[in-house]
Structure formats: C-alpha cells, structure tokens
C-alpha cells in the first residue's frame, strides 16, 4: 500500500533522541531515511539494555526503517559525501549545536546553495538565534528552563523529571510538523524552494504550559507543584486500591462528579454546598481525594474499574510495561510489532502512531548496525569498490563489515 511520504528523501544528521526520533516518524510513513553517523556511531546505541554483543534495544527501535552510512565529517572527503547526499534530498534533519555544521562546510547557507529545494529542519537546545543559541542544551535542560520540571512533583519535594525524555520527544513532534508544513508549502502550494525549520527544545516544552503566562502576567500567579492533583479541576488524581495498585480518576465536570458519587454510594456529597461547581471542588480537592481514596481502597483494582466503567466515569489503571503488553486493547490496535532480525531473531517493538486508514505507516526492518549501508549508499552515488576500500583504509568511512556493534 502506498505511503504518504514515498519519494521523499531525508538525510538525518543527528544523534541521541530528538532528531533521530523525528526522522523515524517520517520513515514510518514512507520517507527514505539515510542516517549519517560518525565512525563511532550514535551514542544511543550504547544506552539502555541490549542483547549480548548487540546495540541497545532503544537504538534498534529509534533507527528502524533507516539506512546507516558511517562517515568521518572531520575530513573533506566525508563532507563531500554528505554534500552529494544533500544534493538529491528533500529534507535534512539535524540536531547539532548551532554553528557545528558550518565547521564541516554544511551550514544552512551552504546546504541551500547545493539544493535550493531543501527543507532544513534543525533541532537545538535554544534555537538558531538569541543570546543562548551557542549554549549546549539537552532535553533535561529544556524541561527545566521550559517550565515543566518546576510544576512536576509534590510541593514538599524537589522538582522531578518525567520518567521519559519528554522534552526531546515534544521537540521531535514539532520538527515533524514543521517539516510537513514546509514540504506542503513547497510542493502543494508551489513555494518551489525549501526553508529552515527552527525547533528549540526549551520552546517546545514551554508551548505546553497551558495558561501559565497570562496567569502570571495578569494575576501575578506562579503555578506550583501539586503532585498528582490537577490544579484547575477536581476531582482528578490517582487513588490506591485494596491490592496495592493505583487507579487514575478524572470526574472533573458536574455531571461526571455526580455519577462518581453515585457509584461510590455517597449521594450525601451531592448536597454539600461547597461541591456544587468545579471552583468549589478545586478548593475542597484534598477532602474529596481523601473520600475517594477511602472508597477505592475497599476494592481490588479490577473491581474499582468495573464499577467506574459501568458508571461511564473516565478512569484507568496505572500501568507498568508488563501491564501494557498484557492489555487486549493495545493488542487489538496493533501496538506491538514483531520484526524479524537476523542478529537477534524476532524483536518486539512499539506499533505505529497515528493510524491512517488509507496510507498506514509500516516498520520494514529494525534499526541497522552503524554503517551497515555505507557501501550500497556510496555505490548508488557512483563510487567504485576501489574508492570505497581506499576510504575505509584512510578512516574516512566505515562499512558494515568494519563497524563493530556497541556493547
């Protein structure tokens, strides 16, 4: 079945999380993605658990559907190879610190001169302009300066990170959105030329801060940490169950609240004048959460869920990864894909998001070893076997035969 991005070639000049995650999403929907790696490979290959003698499972998911070419960009020959790849590309997706690519004859201006139709999507800590542009910035810094960590956690404890690289992931999604906007303008709107998509990690996080800007500017209100309790609506929290598990409940409208207290058998709360609207319930959130917690602790998680579902109240168990894999809804929605791999056998990885009815995404292969496709990519560019072997000997490139997996 045809994919929406078939015919689009993406050159990934990135490492770690944000850039590679963005190009992974483009690849899942048909784009040809060539990942340009250093001779040492993307360090993500070493992060997390891995099969014996292989790269990390994370990297095998992150680089799925991509081809890998291993090039020393500190050499003129290596730079020339990438410049040739760019000449026939639609998108360059990079997440280097601003100014880094210019050292390798790959500044935005130089890339646009090579290929005026090129969409250049750049992800960096602080963006391409401004006083912080040259500062290094990873996702944890962006989450801190973007405001999300300040409001994450409990009021009597230090700020905490979300358990996943949320800053990088949000930035990757904006990078995909910006890339698609630019391709649409270039191709469908006859814009003819490409443009630069400038994604800053800290701004990506900042964009998620709800109404905090006007709340502070117009009411001098600084939002603080409230743990699992919602700051604007109640009841909305997580509650313990008899079997030591947790359930999230969001009964945060008048009708939902009335349904919840009926399920709880606490119609007396419906007569409480302090609980007649959301504003009052927010003020009484601690008392409400205590009452709901007393009720949920009388039952096992499955019993609580049965009652809440019967009452049409938004609720869900707090899942760990074992729970997720056992869930029939995840399974029916094809959220676990089994991909054959000659290195480790079948590998199970997350499914495709979003679901498209006519042109769905696809995973064709697990992420390759660093440099696995160097020889075929260079052959496609017209280089001879002798030239390729010479570059291997000089340390300009590495091929699949010369690159060792990261342990």
């Amino acid at each position: 079945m045809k994919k929406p991005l078939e015919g689009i070639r993406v050159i990934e000049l990135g490492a770690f999380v944000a850039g590679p995650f963005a190009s992974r999403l483009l690849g899942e929907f048909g784009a040809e993605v060539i990942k340009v790696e250093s001779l040492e490979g993307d360090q993500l290959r070493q992060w997390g658990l891995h099969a014996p003698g292989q790269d990390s499972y994370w990297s095998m998911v992150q680089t799925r559907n991509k081809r890998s070419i291993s090039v020393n960009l500190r050499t003129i020959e290596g730079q020339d190879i990438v410049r040739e790849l760019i000449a026939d590309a639609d998108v360059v997706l990079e997440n280097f610190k601003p100014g880094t690519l210019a050292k390798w004859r790959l500044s935005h201006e130089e890339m646009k001169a090579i290929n005026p139709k090129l969409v250049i999507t750049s992800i960096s800590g602080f963006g391409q302009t401004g006083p912080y542009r040259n500062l290094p910035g990873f996702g944890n810094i962006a989450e801190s300066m973007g405001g999300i960590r300040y409001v994450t956690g409990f009021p009597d404890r230090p700020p905490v990170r979300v358990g996943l690289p949320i800053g990088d992931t949000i930035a990757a999604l904006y990078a995909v959105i910006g890339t698609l906007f630019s391709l649409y303008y270039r191709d469908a709107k006859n814009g003819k030329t490409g443009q630069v998509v400038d994604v800053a990690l800290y701004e990506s996080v900042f964009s998620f801060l709800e109404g905090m800007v006007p709340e502070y500017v117009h009411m001098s209100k600084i939002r603080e940490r409230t743990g699992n309790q919602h700051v604007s609506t109640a009841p909305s929290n997580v509650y313990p169950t008899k079997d030591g598990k947790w359930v999230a409940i969001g009964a945060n409208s008048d009708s939902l609240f009335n349904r919840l207290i009926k399920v709880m058998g606490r119609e007396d709360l419906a007569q409480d004048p302090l609980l007649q609207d959301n504003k009052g319930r927010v003020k009484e959130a601690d008392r409400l959460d205590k009452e709901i917690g007393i009720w949920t602790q009388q039952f096992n998680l499955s019993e609580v869920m049965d009652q809440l579902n019967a009452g049409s109240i938004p609720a869900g168990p707090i899942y760990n990864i074992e729970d997720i894999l056992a869930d029939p809804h995840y399974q029916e929605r094809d959220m676990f894909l089994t991909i054959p791999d000659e290195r480790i056998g079948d590998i199970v990885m997350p499914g495709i998001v979003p679901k498209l009815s006519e042109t769905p995404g696809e995973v064709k292969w697990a992420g390759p070893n660093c440099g696995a496709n160097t020889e075929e990519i260079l052959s496609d560019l017209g280089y001879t076997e002798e030239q390729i072997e010479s570059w291997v000997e000089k340390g300009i490139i590495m091929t699949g035969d010369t690159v060792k997996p990261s342990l």
Side-chain angles (χ1 to χ4, degrees):
M1 192 175 293
K2 189 162 182 159
K3 302 293 183 290
L5 295 179
E6 281 185 14
I8 297 296
R9 171 175 279 195
V10 178
I11 307 302
E12 179 200 302
L13 301 175
F16 297 110
V17 184
F21 184 62
S23 64
R24 167 193 145 186
L25 297 178
L26 297 173
E28 288 169 359
F29 287 92
E32 176 196 1
V33 180
I34 297 177
K35 180 177 179 64
V36 178
E37 302 191 61
S38 68
L39 301 191
E40 296 76 25
D42 188 335
Q43 291 185 46
L44 191 70
R45 295 180 179 277
Q46 303 173 41
W47 288 14
L49 301 177
H50 56 85
Q54 300 295 331
D55 294 330
S56 70
Y57 289 114
W58 186 2
S59 72
M60 296 180 78
V61 172
Q62 187 83 314
T63 57
R64 66 192 192 185
N65 290 341
K66 301 177 186 179
R67 294 192 293 161
S68 170
I69 178 172
S70 182
V71 178
N72 184 352
L73 280 172
R74 290 176 174 82
T75 66
I76 295 296
E77 295 91 340
Q79 295 162 15
D80 285 340
I81 290 170
V82 175
R83 289 166 69 90
E84 285 198 58
L85 289 172
I86 287 170
D88 194 35
D90 296 281
V91 177
V92 165
L93 209 160
E94 60 95 1
N95 63 339
F96 285 101
K97 188 173 73 171
T100 300
L101 288 176
K103 299 175 184 176
W104 301 329
R105 301 160 59 224
L106 292 167
S107 67
H108 291 172
E109 292 73 21
E110 288 167 305
M111 287 194 281
K112 285 189 287 186
I114 296 168
N115 182 354
K117 294 187 68 176
L118 191 66
V119 172
I120 303 170
T121 301
S122 293
I123 306 173
S124 61
F126 299 100
Q128 302 297 310
T129 60
Y132 300 161
R133 68 180 294 271
N134 292 320
L135 296 179
F138 281 137
N140 61 335
I141 309 303
E143 292 162 24
S144 301
M145 296 182 68
I148 194 171
R149 290 206 181 182
Y150 186 83
V151 295
T152 302
F154 290 85
D156 58 340
R157 302 178 196 176
V160 300
R161 72 180 289 266
V162 178
L164 294 167
I166 191 73
D168 290 291
T169 307
I170 294 170
L173 295 176
Y174 277 124
V176 170
I177 293 168
T179 300
L180 296 178
F181 285 164
S182 300
L183 290 172
Y184 180 74
Y185 176 75
R186 186 194 74 178
D187 298 339
K189 292 294 187 180
N190 199 27
K192 295 184 179 178
T193 59
Q195 60 183 300
V196 174
V197 180
D198 181 2
V199 178
L201 290 170
Y202 86 99
E203 290 171 354
S204 300
V205 174
F206 171 76
S207 71
F208 274 50
L209 294 190
E210 298 180 345
M212 281 193 254
V213 168
E215 288 170 3
Y216 174 73
V217 172
H218 301 291
M219 299 189 69
S220 300
K221 176 68 175 178
I222 297 176
R223 190 179 297 187
E224 303 291 342
R225 292 182 292 285
T226 59
N228 291 309
Q229 198 174 77
H230 201 292
V231 297
S232 302
T233 186
S236 180
N237 209 325
V238 298
Y239 306 93
T241 61
K242 184 178 179 181
D243 51 354
K245 298 183 179 180
W246 296 85
V247 60
I249 300 175
N252 43 20
S253 71
D254 294 344
S255 59
L256 288 173
F257 176 67
N258 289 328
R259 291 210 294 267
L260 174 62
I261 58 180
K262 185 175 181 180
V263 168
M264 292 170 57
R266 291 296 307 273
E267 283 84 352
D268 59 299
L269 296 175
Q271 309 306 317
D272 190 326
L274 298 178
L275 305 178
Q276 296 307 300
D277 57 23
N278 181 68
K279 186 175 180 180
R281 291 192 294 272
V282 169
K283 291 180 180 178
E284 297 294 310
D286 289 341
R287 175 164 67 97
L288 271 177
D289 285 342
K290 182 178 179 181
E291 296 290 353
I292 296 169
I294 290 172
W295 174 72
T296 58
Q297 284 184 293
Q298 299 176 63
F299 308 98
N300 290 333
L301 176 62
S302 61
E303 297 169 323
V304 173
M305 285 302 304
D306 286 344
Q307 295 180 69
L308 293 170
N309 287 337
S312 294
I313 298 160
I318 305 296
Y319 275 169
N320 63 24
I321 192 61
E322 182 179 20
D323 299 323
I324 289 173
L325 265 81
D327 187 283
H329 191 81
Y330 273 88
Q331 294 170 5
E332 187 166 325
R333 295 272 298 172
D334 293 326
M335 287 312 299
F336 313 117
L337 303 178
T338 300
I339 308 301
D341 186 85
E342 62 183 13
R343 295 161 295 179
I344 64 172
D346 290 349
I347 176 173
V348 179
M349 55 177 63
I352 303 288
V353 180
K355 314 292 186 191
L356 301 187
S357 63
E358 304 303 318
T359 56
E362 180 182 12
V363 176
K364 296 181 180 179
W365 61 81
N369 288 336
C370 174
N373 310 105
T374 299
E375 192 167 356
E376 69 179 68
I377 293 170
L378 292 177
S379 296
D380 290 343
L381 291 175
Y383 292 106
T384 65
E385 186 175 337
E386 291 74 19
Q387 180 68 76
I388 294 171
E389 291 176 357
S390 172
W391 281 344
V392 170
E393 292 172 2
K394 293 177 181 177
I396 294 168
I397 62 170
M398 296 190 94
T399 66
D401 294 332
T402 56
V403 175
K404 302 296 183 185
S406 303
L407 301 179

